[in-house]
Amino acid sequence: MSITQVSSLSDDIRRLLKRYDVRPKKKRGQSFLNSQSVARNIVDLANLSERDDVLEIGGGFGALTRWIAERAQQVYVIELDPRLANALRDALKDFINVTIIVGDALKIDLPNVNKIVANLPYSISSEITFRILRELNFEEAILTYQKEFAKRLVANPGTPEYSRLTINVQYYAEVEEILEVPANRFYPIPVVDSMVVRMIPRRKGVFAKDSIVFHWMIEGIYPYPKKTLRGALRIWFRNLRVNKGLADEVLKNLDGVLSGDERLRSIGLEGLVSLADVLLMLIENGSIEDPRV
Ligand code: SAM
């Protein structure tokens, strides 16, 4: 697309902002797609059919909503900003399969859907991702994030992007990058590029015997990703006021799955699940206080 075309679509958004008296706020992630073809490409990635019920988070001026509504059975679009919700009502008035929900996607009840498509407000990327993963029983989501954030979602063990976020998300879902969207496809132009990812809830592979213990452990050890496993366990146990010698006991029970000398950042999901299961055993035999009570 030429620079003139991009700027004329940005002019359309400027006009809409004026008409609906919206002053875009960064802290609400208010940058709007200025490219119809990118909007259509993103929605194409969801392979929608008339059997699909779709949730969109952050409708804005409806750049994605229109394409979703043309293909899906039902669309629920959540928008926090009442002025944008007015704009959405006008833009989508010809569709009978669109329900506009005005509210905060982090707080309101989420509808039952099998697919999710959204250019997410970046300010709530983490929180909304965990909310949909924990609360919705969906088949597939096509989600746009800031590129750096997306890189952390898909990271492999041993890379600098592999982090607490990576593990907590990959525990629930398989994630792949599918489409890069340059910053200038949005207006106002954000400081960084975006990346669309496909997220599919994971049904295969290892799961901890107790997911609460797994996440409690990740919160406890992952502030120290550059430490060895033994070092991170010791710091965490000291913080918990548990005998730090228990770190050796944990490693002994891991039966060679992990030695303790590996850097935390290099340990994959399987190793971490084994670790959580050993911790569960030590909780159950009373060596560690139960975090679930
Ligand atoms: N989907 C539109 C597009 O692609 O042009 C807008 C995307 S824009 C990145 C994010 C949208 O999310 C904005 O319209 C913003 O008002 C809305 N939003 C921000 N925080 C929200 C929240 N907590 N709940 C629901 N919507 C929110």
Side-chain angles (χ1 to χ4, degrees), residues 10-26:
S10 294
D11 285 347
D12 290 347
I13 293 174
R14 268 194 288 268
R15 268 193 291 277
L16 286 169
L17 289 169
K18 202 160 167 213
R19 183 181 324 150
Y20 290 96
D21 194 19
V22 176
R23 276 166 223 119
K25 293 195 183 61
K26 243 198 207 152

Side-chain angles (χ1 to χ4, degrees), residues 154-160 162 166 170 222 264-269:
V154 300
N156 288 316
T159 61
Y162 189 73
T166 317
Q170 290 186 9
Y222 247 85
L264 212 49
R265 185 164 265 159
S266 71
I267 304 176
L269 200 56

Side-chain angles (χ1 to χ4, degrees), residues 221 227-234 251 254 258-264 267 272 275:
I221 58 178
K227 298 260 177 225
T228 61
L229 173 59
R230 181 178 286 101
L233 283 173
R234 285 190 171 168
L251 293 169
L254 272 166
L258 295 166
S259 71
D261 296 332
E262 41 291 269
R263 301 273 157 209
L264 212 49
I267 304 176
L272 293 167
L275 186 60

Side-chain angles (χ1 to χ4, degrees), residues 13 25 27-34 39 42 56-65 78-81 84 101 103-108 118-124 128 186:
I13 293 174
K25 293 195 183 61
K27 71 172 194 312
R28 287 192 174 172
Q30 288 175 331
S31 279
F32 306 94
L33 258 187
N34 64 14
I42 292 174
E56 185 191 353
I57 296 153
F61 289 111
L64 297 179
T65 329
I78 306 177
E79 176 51 60
L80 177 67
D81 190 323
L84 287 169
I101 305 168
D104 184 341
L106 295 176
K107 296 194 178 134
I108 58 170
N119 284 337
L120 290 172
Y122 298 135
S123 40
I124 61 165
I128 194 65
F186 289 90

Side-chain angles (χ1 to χ4, degrees), residues 31 61 70 72 96 105 114 117 138 142 220 233 235 241 266-267:
S31 279
F61 289 111
E70 274 184 11
I96 54 164
N114 64 316
V117 180
F138 64 95
I142 300 294
L233 283 173
I235 302 176
R241 300 185 200 293
S266 71
I267 304 176

